[in-house]
Amino acid sequence: MSPRHFRRIIAAGTGVIAAAALAGCTSQPRPDVAVRTFLLDWQAGDYAAAAAFTDGDPDEVATALKEAHDQLDLAGVRFGLGALEQDGDTAVSEFEAQADLGIGDPVWKYTGRMELRRGGDGWRVVWDPSVIHPDLGAGERLAVSYDVPDRGGLHDRTGRALVGEDAVTAFGVVPSGLEDAEKNITALAELLDEDPDPLMDRVRSAPPEEFQPLVLLRKKDVRSGVMAKAKAIPGVETRSLAMPLTPETARSVVGEVAGTAEHNVSSRVASAYQAGDTVGLSGLQNVFQHRLAGTATTEVVTLGEDGKQTGVLKEWPGTPSGSVTTTLDAEAQQAAETALQSMPGRGHLVAVDSRTGEVLASASRPNAFDNTGAFTEEYRPGGAFGIVSAAAALQTGAVSGAGAQLACEPGVEVGGTEFGNENETGQWTQPQDLTTAFATGCTSALAGLGGKTGEEGLAEAAEQFGIGGDWQLSLPTYSGELSATGEAGTAAGMAGTGGVTVSPLSMALVAGAVADGTWHAPRLAVDADDDIAEKPGEDRELDAGTVKELRTLMRATVERGQATPANIGTVPVHGQVAQAEQKIGGKKTAVQWFVGYQGHIAFAAVAEVPADQVWDQYALLSGTGFLQGLPVGHVEAEYEAPVLGGGKDGEDAAQGGEGAAGAGADGADQAGQEGAAQPPMGG
């Protein structure tokens, strides 16, 4: 039983109890008693009993009262006594009516009026259709009319539509053409695997001569033979419509609208909506449902015998639908989705504008509405967290700079725990510094710095990069968590192997902070995120010297370290590659990372690979493919080469260090320029 019908029974039952209690103590009706009893019987749905207190034909009056209830599809009605004036054997009484049009619809309040006359058998209501409503005339009936605005659109940052129009088949009826409404609507519901109650609710209260769309299905998803079977049901018709239902891209972000192939309408929408409406079930379509759908203008109207409208008894103006502009870049989004096709299993890729934190792309594999892992998945970052760990070591003085001597051993013991390396390349046999250790994935070196860095130093750096922060988007997100305590715990956190989890989005923001020099809270829905998110987050400017060193480290990884396939294009790529093991769905899984930036585009690519089937660096390949898939000039058009300064910074730049000290959206290192001067690799 639907919530709407449950509510209707409660309302009727309450009226019956009240009527019985009052009638029991009334032996000789006065005008006010006759009015009370008539209204309470009407309220209780005992139309025959109510009709007995009128001077009209009992069957006709009972039928009129019942039809008025059905025509409005009332969830319940309540009456209250108003002023009564008696003049001898006649009287006039007012009453207050509250007609509940149902869950999601308004309550119609109006003042009614009835005349009474005293005869040999006491006081009776003088029957006239105006007793139901003062403006209801002979031969007229009631109906509820809905004027539903077209659903608003979702757009990318340039105004490009993210949702395309689908050819839709609307299965519906013209109520006056139904000889047995309940039987035929039930047959349609069974054919389309729907709940018949919402469909009947719509039909009962609708203008009888207007087509009522009850179930919407995309044309290509209508099963063979369904059209013919539907039309064989007496009174059922089909109409062709064009409606924005299916995302062109970014399915998990844009979200699903009821009426798409995967979901029928009436079985999935909340009871606040009418059958045939479009309702966002997930993503931004759900979050901004009210804004995108608007609200219908609802009218209680009178109709003549020909079914044409003769008057408006009450109007509740709706709100127009509106659009939502996102920060997504449709071209970057397409490049991200294409890049993920090479992944062997689940994976994600998020890209943000490093200057603002605006989300440019969010893609996942499989490309499903419910795959929100790009924002919400909780992964161990492994060596990718080395960006944060290195920042902590630099800021606390655990190391003096990118060129500081740092031995890379096959393993290191900290607090009784042994830490190895993600990349067993034998690099520990070579002379080492922080840059080489970072570029080659020597996580044991980072773990060994845990003691000097300390819990507080690591925690402070993580906070600066937004890890575990209380920032939010209009969609669910996971900002990460750091719970590294004790000597061994801090070492594990430095290596990204324990006590720390992150999401792809949180790591893309980390890369963006290095690119810009400031950590920016993410944004997704222009002019709307702050209204939805309780805590949108605050930007944090990073230490300029630390940012300079981090850029050197990340550039070295791409130039001569683990990420050389990404050394592409005329704008230098900076990044870090990592692999960490964790159990996902009960299975031992290798989580591969490629986190970095090119120009103002910062990104994080993640691949889930069975631990015993790691044949390649899938995240690196996908991240590189994403950069290669961006349109020509997409990065270059907004990139400014660094200006080389004099003195020590200039000398450092000439030797492959940072070309400009300090942070900023246009900052890049001289090593990047040297790399850019080389023939592009892989692209």
Side-chain angles (χ1 to χ4, degrees):
M1 178 177 293
S2 72
R4 182 183 175 111
H5 290 159
F6 179 69
R7 183 175 171 187
R8 179 177 297 124
I9 291 171
I10 290 176
T14 303
V16 169
I17 294 170
L22 183 59
C25 61
T26 304
S27 57
Q28 296 182 349
R30 301 183 306 273
D32 59 321
V33 175
V35 171
R36 285 192 185 97
T37 309
F38 170 73
L39 292 176
L40 285 168
D41 284 339
W42 182 5
Q43 174 180 292
D46 192 346
Y47 305 120
F53 282 90
T54 73
D55 64 358
D57 179 272
D59 291 338
E60 291 181 5
V61 174
T63 298
L65 294 175
K66 181 179 185 305
E67 287 181 345
H69 180 283
D70 293 345
Q71 289 160 5
L72 298 176
D73 189 31
L74 294 179
V77 62
R78 304 288 295 183
F79 297 110
L81 281 177
L84 185 147
E85 296 182 2
Q86 180 179 349
D87 183 7
D89 291 338
T90 62
V92 176
S93 177
E94 292 185 347
F95 62 93
E96 301 301 321
Q98 295 186 31
D100 187 346
L101 300 181
I103 297 175
D105 284 332
V107 175
W108 180 27
K109 299 179 181 180
Y110 66 89
T111 300
R113 181 179 182 276
M114 67 181 76
E115 296 182 3
L116 297 97
R117 183 176 296 116
R118 179 164 53 189
D121 52 357
W123 289 91
R124 290 184 179 272
V125 175
V126 178
W127 177 249
D128 187 84
S130 63
V131 171
I132 296 173
H133 188 279
D135 294 330
L136 184 65
E140 291 183 327
R141 58 154 286 171
L142 300 171
V144 180
S145 174
Y146 299 95
D147 184 8
V148 182
D150 292 336
R151 191 175 186 86
L154 279 158
H155 304 97
D156 83 342
R157 64 202 296 117
T158 67
R160 179 173 170 177
L162 297 175
V163 181
E165 285 202 336
D166 290 283
V168 174
T169 296
F171 294 82
V173 298
V174 175
S176 64
L178 291 170
E179 293 184 4
D180 189 334
E182 189 164 349
K183 175 183 177 181
N184 295 333
I185 293 300
T186 299
L188 176 64
E190 290 178 351
L191 175 66
L192 301 178
D193 192 24
E194 293 282 349
D195 177 1
D197 288 343
L199 310 188
M200 277 303 303
D201 291 345
R202 181 68 175 264
V203 171
R204 288 192 190 99
S205 61
E209 303 300 328
E210 295 182 12
F211 176 75
Q212 301 301 313
L214 301 177
V215 179
L216 308 176
L217 291 176
R218 292 187 299 184
K219 278 192 174 181
K220 65 179 182 179
D221 298 313
V222 177
R223 300 190 307 273
S224 175
V226 166
M227 290 282 284
K229 292 178 181 178
K231 291 179 179 179
I233 300 172
V236 172
E237 301 180 18
T238 60
R239 304 276 176 94
S240 295
L241 306 171
M243 302 182 71
L245 296 178
T246 305
E248 298 278 1
T249 188
R251 289 166 69 91
S252 64
V253 174
V254 173
E256 182 180 19
V257 178
T260 56
E262 291 80 9
H263 300 279
N264 297 333
V265 177
S266 64
S267 62
R268 285 298 304 273
V269 300
S271 56
Y273 297 95
Q274 295 284 334
D277 288 347
T278 58
V279 180
L281 300 178
S282 62
L284 296 177
Q285 292 280 20
N286 175 262
V287 172
F288 296 107
Q289 165 64 19
H290 183 77
R291 181 171 178 170
L292 293 167
T295 57
T297 293
T298 303
E299 294 179 332
V300 177
V301 301
T302 55
L303 307 173
E305 293 180 351
D306 59 359
K308 295 182 179 179
Q309 185 173 310
T310 57
V312 178
L313 304 184
K314 179 65 176 179
E315 178 184 80
W316 294 268
T319 56
S321 59
S323 62
V324 173
T325 298
T326 71
T327 63
L328 293 176
D329 182 314
E331 293 180 322
Q333 179 67 33
Q334 185 57 56
E337 293 182 3
T338 300
L340 290 186
Q341 293 177 5
S342 62
M343 285 195 178
R346 288 176 57 87
H348 312 283
L349 195 153
V350 180
V352 301
D353 189 323
S354 64
R355 302 163 299 187
T356 61
E358 295 176 347
V359 178
L360 301 175
S362 174
S364 295
R365 177 180 174 88
N367 188 14
F369 286 114
D370 61 353
N371 189 359
T372 62
F375 288 172
T376 62
E377 198 67 63
E378 302 178 16
Y379 289 122
R380 285 184 180 173
F385 200 67
I387 302 170
V388 178
S389 302
L394 289 163
Q395 291 177 164
T396 58
V399 290
S400 58
Q405 293 300 301
L406 186 67
C408 180
E409 304 293 343
V412 61
E413 183 178 324
V414 180
T417 301
E418 183 75 20
F419 295 92
N421 297 304
E422 293 178 0
N423 186 4
E424 299 292 347
T425 60
Q427 288 293 332
W428 53 86
T429 64
Q430 305 298 323
Q432 289 290 303
D433 57 18
L434 176 60
T435 299
T436 305
F438 184 95
T440 57
C442 185
T443 47
S444 66
L446 289 173
L449 291 173
K452 293 183 179 180
T453 302
E455 292 178 24
E456 293 184 3
L458 181 58
E460 182 178 347
E463 182 181 0
Q464 292 171 352
F465 282 95
I467 302 300
D470 54 6
W471 51 267
Q472 299 176 357
L473 282 180
S474 45
L475 294 180
T477 57
Y478 178 64
S479 66
E481 181 181 5
L482 176 67
S483 57
T485 58
E487 189 178 5
T490 302
M494 293 285 288
T497 58
V500 57
T501 51
V502 294
S503 66
L505 173 60
S506 64
M507 287 306 296
L509 294 170
V510 166
V514 178
D516 186 62
T518 297
W519 182 87
H520 295 283
R523 296 184 64 82
L524 179 60
V526 177
D527 81 14
D529 269 335
D530 291 346
D531 295 334
I532 296 296
E534 295 179 2
K535 299 176 181 177
E538 296 180 357
D539 295 348
R540 302 183 183 93
E541 186 175 353
L542 305 180
D543 175 71
T546 300
V547 169
K548 173 186 173 182
E549 302 292 347
L550 292 176
R551 290 174 181 168
T552 298
L553 299 179
M554 294 175 71
R555 180 60 186 155
T557 303
V558 177
E559 276 194 305
R560 59 183 184 273
Q562 301 181 96
T564 53
N567 195 19
I568 59 174
T570 58
V571 176
V573 178
H574 298 66
Q576 178 61 303
V577 174
Q579 179 170 300
E581 288 191 354
Q582 70 181 84
K583 281 192 175 182
I584 299 177
K587 296 181 179 179
K588 193 175 182 181
T589 303
V591 178
Q592 297 183 340
W593 289 89
F594 180 31
V595 179
Y597 66 91
Q598 184 179 36
H600 68 282
I601 297 181
F603 61 89
V606 185
E608 294 181 19
V609 185
D612 58 350
Q613 298 178 26
V614 179
W615 318 123
D616 217 331
Q617 287 284 352
Y618 299 104
L620 175 60
L621 294 175
S622 294
T624 304
F626 164 67
L627 297 178
Q628 291 175 315
L630 294 172
V632 175
H634 202 81
V635 175
E636 293 81 356
E638 300 183 59
Y639 175 72
E640 294 182 16
V643 177
L644 300 183
K648 185 177 185 302
D649 286 342
E651 294 172 2
D652 287 347
Q655 298 171 11
E658 285 289 317
D666 299 325
D669 56 45
Q670 177 64 11
Q673 292 301 294
E674 292 174 354
Q678 301 171 2
M681 299 177 61

